[in-house]
Amino acid sequence: MESSATTFTVEHLTFFYPGEQRPALRDISLSLPAGHFTLLIGPSGGGKTTLLRHFKSVLTPNGSRRGSVYFMGHPLETVDQRTQAARIAFVRQDPENQIVTDKVWHELAFGLESLGRGQADIRLKVAEMASFFGMEEWFHADTATLSGGQKQILNLAAALVMQPDVLLLDEPTSQLDPIAAGEFLSALLRVNRELGVAVVLSEQRLEEALPLADDLLVLEDGCLIAAGPPRRVAQYLKERRDPMFAALPTPLRVYAAVENKLDCPLTVGEGRQWLTELSLGRPLLPQPREKELTPAGEDLAELSEIWFRYEKESPDVLRGLELSLKKGEILAILGGNGAGKTTLLRLIRGLIKPVRGKIKIPEHSLPMALLPQNPQTLFTRPTVEEDLANMLKGGPEDGPRLAEVVRLCRLQGLLKRHPYDLSGGEQQRAALAKLLLAKPRLLLLDEPTKGLDAAFKRQLAKILRELTDGGVSVIMVSHDVEFCAAVATRCALLFAGEIISQGAVREFFAGHSFYTTAANRMARHLLPAAVTAEDIIAACGGEPPVWPEEPPPEEIPPEDSGPRLSPPKNVSSTEKTSGINLRTLLAFAPVILTIPLTIWFGLRFLENRRYLLISMLVLAEAMLPFLLLFEGRKPQARELTLLAVLTALAVASRAAFAMLPQFKPITAFVIISGVALGPEAGFLVGALSAFISNFLFGQGPWTPWQMFGLGLSGFLAGLLFYGRLPRIGRGALCLYGGLAAYFIYGALMNPASVIMFQEHPTREMFWLAYAQGLPFDIVHMLATVIFLWILGPPMLEKLARIKSKYGILKR
C-alpha cells in the first residue's frame, strides 16, 4: 500500500479479455509518482490502452483479472464513482467521441454540473480554464465548427476544469496535424508543470512527447519491459536491440548510432548543439544525394481546376486545385486539419463529384482502393478472418495469397477477433490487408500510420515500395512527416484548398519550418538537405542499426514475453451461453399472474378511469424479474443504457411507421431484446416501449394490455431462444415472431377491445372482435416476420459482441 506520494500503484496485474487465452496484460507492477509526467509507449496491441483503462473503474474493460490497482493508496474499486469522476480525468484518441454538448462553454461546464456544483463556482472555474488555454475567442462557438486541434484542447480543458489529480490520455494527438499536435503537447506540459496534475500519456508521436516526460514506461505483448528516466530506458532498449528504439526521437537515435563521448540529446535544440560540437572535432561527410524526383512512368491521373463545396451556401473546401500523379509514384499530401485532404481523396475515388474542374484518369476501369481515416467503416464480418476471406473469389490461388497478406500485415494472432475489438493500430493493419487483397492499381491512404508502431511503419514502407515496384501508384494523406520523408517519392502541401508547395522529398522538407522533419530541424544549419535520421547518421560516419523483424504475436517465445499464463480460475470471464435457469421461471411466474390481476382490478374497481395508474403498476411489476438479475450487485450504467437504447429504438420504430396501420417493427425489436438479453429484459423492453410510445399515440385503457402483450412476446422469445442462436437460425426466429404477433399480441388485444368498451360482453362479441381484427393481425404478423428477417441477425450479432466486450447482463 502506497501513500499519496503516488497516484496509481499496480501490483501483479494480469488481465484476459473474454474468450482470450493470451493475456492482454502480464503480471504488471508499477508506481506512478504524484505530479510526474509519465509517457507510456509500445507497439500497437501491446496493452497500452488496456492498462490506461484499468486506472478508472467505469472504463475498465470486461474480462478476467488478477492483481490490484490502488489510487492514492486506496483500492480503486473502493473509490466511489463521484470521486473518480472528479479526480481521474481521461482524454481519448478521437476528439469527436468525447464532446457531448453543442457549445464550447457548455462543454466546459458539463462535468461540474454533473457533480452538482453551484452556479457561481461553475462560472468561476470555467472562466479560469478558458483563460488558461486562451479560449476566449471561441468560448461561445459551436463545438461542431472547431478544428481538430481546438476540439482536443476543449476535451483537455473540460477534463481539467474538474481539478483532477491525474490526467490519463490515450494517443490524443494521433489525428492532429504537426502544428496542432505541438500546441496540444505544449498545453499538456503547462498543465503538468503549472497546475501540478500528474499526466499519464500513451503516445506514438515521440519526437515531441518524449522530451516532456519525467518517466518512460515500455509495454510489449502485455509486459512492462522497461521503466525509468527516458535516457536510461532508451539505453536499455538500444542494448536489447528492441524495435521500439526505432520510434524514439531523432536526436537520440542519431546519438546512439554515432561513436562519440558527448552528452545524449533528447530535444531538437539539444540535437543541434550536439551536432555542432561533433562537427568541430570531425568533418561531416558530403550530404546525401537527392532521390529521383518521380518514376519515369506515364501520367496516371490529373486533376485540373478542381473546386468543391459540401453545401450550396458553404465555403469552398477545394479552390482551383491542380495535381498530377504518375504510375509507380508515392505522393504524400500534407496539410493542417480541415485543409481538404480527405475531401481530395474522396474526389479521386469518385465518392463525390467536383463542382467545377476535371479529374482525368486515362484508365477508366482502373481498380482503386481507399483506406479511410476510420478503418471500421471497411469491416462487415464478425471476425478478421471472415472479413478478409470475403474479398476473395474462391480461386486456387486465394489461400496462398491470403496467407501472404496476413503475414505482411502481422495479423496471425488476430484472425479470430472481431475487427471492432482490435486496437487502433491493429484495425489499420486489418483494413490495409483487406485493401491489398483487392489488388488495386491506385491505392489511396488517409492517415495510414495512425496508431501504428515503429516496427509496422517500417513494414508498411516496405509494402508500399514493393507495390510501386509492381506498378501500383499511391496517394497518401498523412500528418506523419517522418514517415512521408522516409517513403514518399514526392510531397505536396495543401493549404486553404490549394496545393501551395510540392516537390521531391529533400527539396520539399528543406524549404519548410514546421511541416518538416525533426532531422531537418536538427541539422539544417550544417546539413540543409538532411531529412531523416539516417541522413544525419551517414553524414556523421555512423552506422544505422538494423532491427530484427518483429515476430507475429503467437510466435513470441515465452522467455522474451513473460511467463505463460492461463485465465484465472477464480474469476469467470464468460456468461452462461444457453438455457434459462429455474430461478428465472420461478421469479416470473408471479408476474404472469399479477399483471392480469392488476388489469382486472383496474377494470373492476376503477372502471378504466385510472388507466395511467394501472400502466405504472404493470411497469413496476415488469421490472421485478429484471431486478432479480442483479442480486448481489448493482446494475451497471452501461446495462441500463443498453436497455434504454433498445426501448428507444422500439418506440422510434413505431413512430416512424405511424402512417402504416399495424405495419411496425416494434414487436421485432422487443423479440430481439429478449433473444439477446434474456426473458426478463425482453419483458421489460416490451412493457416500456408500449408505455412510452403511447405518449405519442395516445394513452388509454388499452395501454396496460399492450404492455402485457408486447412484454409477454419478449419474455417468451428469451425463454425459447436465449443462448441458442445462431444454432436455431433465422427461420425459426421469424416463425416465432409471426406466431407471437398473431397468437400472443393479437390474441390479447382483440378480446381486450371488447372488455374495455362493453359493459356486458358476450361470446358473439369476442368472435366478432377476432374477425374484425384478423386483417390487422395478419399485417402485424407479416411486418414482424419481415423486420426480424432483415434486422434480426445483424442486431443479434452486434448485441452479442457488446455483451461479451462489456460484460453486460451476466447470469
Side-chain angles (χ1 to χ4, degrees):
M1 188 84 60
E2 298 289 332
S3 69
S4 59
T6 63
T7 51
F8 288 104
T9 300
V10 180
E11 295 180 353
H12 304 291
L13 179 63
T14 296
F15 177 77
F16 292 80
Y17 280 103
E20 295 287 330
Q21 295 300 311
R22 184 183 184 84
L25 299 175
R26 300 168 179 253
D27 196 28
I28 289 180
S29 296
L30 56 86
S31 290
L32 302 179
H36 273 219
F37 194 122
T38 302
L39 182 62
L40 179 62
I41 68 172
S44 60
K48 302 185 298 298
T49 298
T50 303
L51 179 60
L52 280 180
R53 287 180 172 272
H54 273 83
F55 293 153
K56 192 162 185 172
S57 296
V58 72
L59 299 177
T60 299
N62 176 48
S64 302
R65 187 182 85 173
R66 77 161 62 98
S68 304
V69 178
Y70 297 93
F71 174 66
M72 297 292 185
H74 302 282
L76 185 62
E77 59 270 19
T78 67
V79 181
D80 63 87
Q81 292 298 323
R82 180 185 177 87
T83 301
Q84 290 192 41
R87 301 181 66 184
I88 305 172
F90 199 104
V91 177
R92 304 175 188 231
Q93 185 178 101
D94 187 350
E96 304 281 354
N97 288 346
Q98 198 160 338
I99 294 176
V100 296
T101 67
D102 59 340
K103 298 287 186 181
V104 170
W105 68 273
H106 286 169
E107 189 71 20
L108 291 175
F110 180 79
L112 295 172
E113 290 173 343
S114 301
L115 292 177
R117 300 287 178 84
Q119 185 177 7
D121 186 40
I122 292 174
R123 290 173 62 87
L124 174 61
K125 286 182 169 56
V126 165
E128 284 184 332
M129 197 55 59
S131 299
F132 183 81
F133 285 105
M135 301 166 65
E136 292 91 339
E137 292 185 6
W138 40 285
F139 183 72
H140 295 283
D142 291 338
T143 54
T145 65
L146 303 182
S147 68
Q150 288 174 322
K151 287 177 180 177
Q152 203 63 303
I153 289 290
L154 175 58
N155 286 331
L156 178 60
L160 291 172
V161 77
M162 314 267 282
Q163 296 182 320
D165 296 299
V166 60
L167 179 62
L168 311 172
L169 304 102
D170 187 12
E171 299 192 16
T173 69
S174 64
Q175 299 190 35
L176 303 184
D177 62 71
I179 296 175
E183 292 174 351
F184 181 85
L185 291 173
S186 297
L188 200 57
L189 183 63
R190 286 188 65 201
V191 166
N192 176 249
R193 300 295 192 259
E194 297 179 24
L195 301 182
V197 177
V199 172
V200 185
L201 170 67
S202 169
E203 187 58 78
Q204 297 285 3
R205 196 191 298 250
L206 302 186
E207 292 284 357
E208 298 87 0
L210 191 137
L212 311 180
D214 301 310
D215 301 298
L216 181 62
L217 308 179
V218 185
L219 271 183
E220 285 186 10
D221 192 37
C223 297
L224 183 64
I225 66 166
R231 285 183 173 85
R232 192 177 73 196
V233 172
Q235 182 63 30
Y236 171 77
L237 294 178
K238 178 194 173 188
E239 294 171 356
R240 194 173 184 257
R241 299 188 72 244
D242 193 283
M244 275 308 300
F245 184 83
L248 297 183
T250 296
L252 205 156
R253 286 185 287 131
V254 172
Y255 170 85
V258 177
E259 186 176 346
N260 69 98
K261 297 182 179 180
L262 301 174
D263 292 335
C264 177
L266 275 185
T267 66
V268 168
E270 292 175 359
R272 288 172 65 91
Q273 182 62 33
W274 173 87
L275 187 60
T276 300
E277 293 181 19
L278 184 74
S279 65
L280 296 177
R282 70 173 79 167
L284 299 178
L285 299 179
Q287 296 180 28
R289 296 179 59 188
E290 174 67 276
K291 291 186 291 187
E292 287 288 326
L293 177 61
T294 56
E298 304 173 359
D299 285 339
L300 183 71
E302 183 176 354
L303 284 72
S304 177
E305 279 293 315
I306 299 298
W307 290 76
F308 180 81
R309 63 178 62 173
Y310 281 100
E311 300 290 343
K312 186 176 181 180
E313 302 300 327
S314 64
D316 291 309
V317 179
L318 299 178
R319 306 176 183 181
L321 182 139
E322 303 272 352
L323 190 66
S324 63
L325 178 72
K326 293 184 178 296
K327 288 183 179 179
E329 181 179 26
I330 301 177
L331 171 62
I333 300 177
L334 298 95
N337 293 98
K341 305 185 297 299
T342 297
T343 300
L344 175 59
L345 290 187
R346 297 183 68 207
L347 280 166
I348 297 172
R349 182 65 181 88
L351 300 178
I352 52 178
K353 301 293 183 183
V355 175
R356 292 206 310 267
K358 293 183 179 181
I359 301 177
K360 298 177 183 178
I361 300 178
E363 300 178 24
H364 296 290
S365 59
L366 180 72
M368 296 187 216
L370 169 63
L371 176 66
Q373 278 196 31
N374 182 8
Q376 289 187 0
T377 58
L378 295 181
F379 302 132
T380 59
R381 294 293 188 270
T383 68
V384 173
E385 187 174 35
E386 292 178 50
D387 222 316
L388 296 180
N390 190 48
M391 300 296 295
L392 304 175
K393 299 179 179 179
E397 74 284 355
D398 284 351
R401 185 159 147 249
L402 177 60
E404 176 63 13
V405 169
V406 167
R407 183 192 65 80
L408 282 175
C409 296
R410 286 191 3 231
L411 299 175
Q412 293 93 329
L414 308 174
L415 294 177
K416 302 300 181 183
R417 302 269 299 276
H418 195 291
Y420 285 14
D421 291 338
L422 304 179
S423 70
E426 290 168 340
Q427 287 183 354
Q428 288 287 97
R429 283 153 42 194
L432 177 64
K434 192 169 181 179
L435 296 187
L436 293 179
L437 288 172
K439 294 184 177 179
R441 304 306 297 169
L442 175 56
L443 188 58
L444 308 173
L445 304 175
D446 196 351
E447 299 295 344
T449 63
K450 182 182 66 177
L452 297 183
D453 55 74
F456 191 72
K457 284 183 185 180
R458 293 197 303 274
Q459 180 70 11
L460 177 59
K462 180 180 176 183
I463 292 171
L464 294 181
R465 291 192 189 102
E466 289 179 359
L467 289 173
T468 53
D469 288 343
V472 176
S473 302
V474 178
I475 299 180
M476 174 176 62
V477 161
S478 181
H479 294 317
D480 191 340
V481 294
E482 316 294 334
F483 182 78
C484 293
V487 74
T489 53
R490 184 161 59 100
C491 296
L493 181 63
L494 183 61
F495 176 77
E498 301 178 68
I499 298 293
I500 62 169
S501 172
Q502 61 178 308
V505 173
R506 299 195 195 287
E507 172 192 346
F508 178 85
F509 286 115
H512 292 157
S513 299
F514 297 103
Y515 280 95
T516 189
T517 63
N520 186 256
R521 294 198 302 271
M522 170 180 166
R524 62 173 44 179
H525 65 302
L526 297 175
L527 302 167
V531 296
T532 65
E534 288 71 23
D535 292 342
I536 304 176
I537 292 170
C540 295
E543 289 291 334
V546 179
W547 303 108
E549 290 291 329
E550 184 179 355
E554 72 272 20
E555 297 177 8
I556 296 178
E559 61 268 22
D560 288 343
S561 57
R564 292 290 181 182
L565 300 171
S566 299
K569 303 298 183 185
N570 60 332
V571 183
S572 173
S573 62
T574 59
E575 63 174 299
K576 185 176 179 181
T577 57
S578 65
I580 299 298
N581 56 33
L582 181 62
R583 177 178 176 176
T584 297
L585 296 176
L586 293 176
F588 196 77
V591 175
I592 292 290
L593 299 174
T594 305
I595 291 179
L597 286 174
T598 303
I599 296 175
W600 174 83
F601 176 82
L603 288 170
R604 178 71 177 80
F605 296 102
L606 301 180
E607 299 179 352
N608 281 335
R609 292 194 298 269
R610 298 289 186 269
Y611 53 82
L612 189 58
L613 172 63
I614 301 303
S615 298
M616 295 294 291
L617 289 174
V618 170
L619 192 58
E621 291 159 355
M623 291 181 179
L624 290 177
F626 177 77
L627 294 176
L628 287 174
L629 279 174
F630 301 101
E631 184 182 10
R633 73 174 178 92
K634 295 180 180 179
Q636 301 177 52
R638 57 181 57 146
E639 292 171 324
L640 301 179
T641 300
L642 180 58
L643 287 171
V645 168
L646 288 171
T647 302
L649 286 173
V651 172
S653 71
R654 189 180 178 193
F657 287 81
M659 73 295 296
L660 302 176
Q662 294 301 108
F663 193 86
K664 296 175 176 62
I666 183 169
T667 305
F669 279 110
V670 171
I671 291 172
I672 288 169
S673 302
V675 173
L677 305 178
E680 303 94 340
F683 194 94
L684 182 59
V685 170
L688 264 176
S689 58
F691 179 68
I692 295 172
S693 62
N694 273 359
F695 282 99
L696 302 174
F697 289 88
Q699 297 283 353
W702 51 83
T703 299
W705 294 91
Q706 291 176 328
M707 293 170 67
F708 186 53
L710 280 177
L712 192 59
S713 300
F715 177 81
L716 291 177
L719 203 63
L720 292 171
F721 294 102
Y722 180 77
R724 293 186 173 93
L725 288 178
R727 179 164 48 87
I728 291 179
R730 175 185 283 178
L733 180 64
C734 292
L735 176 62
Y736 168 79
L739 294 175
Y742 191 90
F743 290 104
I744 297 177
Y745 188 83
L748 276 172
M749 294 309 299
N750 288 324
S753 64
V754 176
I755 295 171
M756 285 185 291
F757 300 112
Q758 301 295 332
E759 292 186 7
H760 304 289
T762 64
R763 180 182 302 178
E764 290 74 16
M765 291 180 182
F766 286 112
W767 284 117
L768 182 60
Y770 275 111
Q772 289 178 334
L774 181 63
F776 296 97
D777 292 340
I778 291 175
V779 172
H780 185 199
M781 178 179 68
L782 291 174
T784 303
V785 170
I786 291 170
F787 285 113
L788 278 176
W789 185 268
I790 296 171
L791 300 175
M795 282 196 66
L796 289 171
E797 176 192 315
K798 292 185 184 305
L799 288 170
R801 188 183 72 84
I802 291 171
K803 285 173 59 185
S804 173
K805 183 173 182 180
Y806 296 108
I808 289 177
L809 296 179
K810 285 187 178 181
R811 293 185 173 276

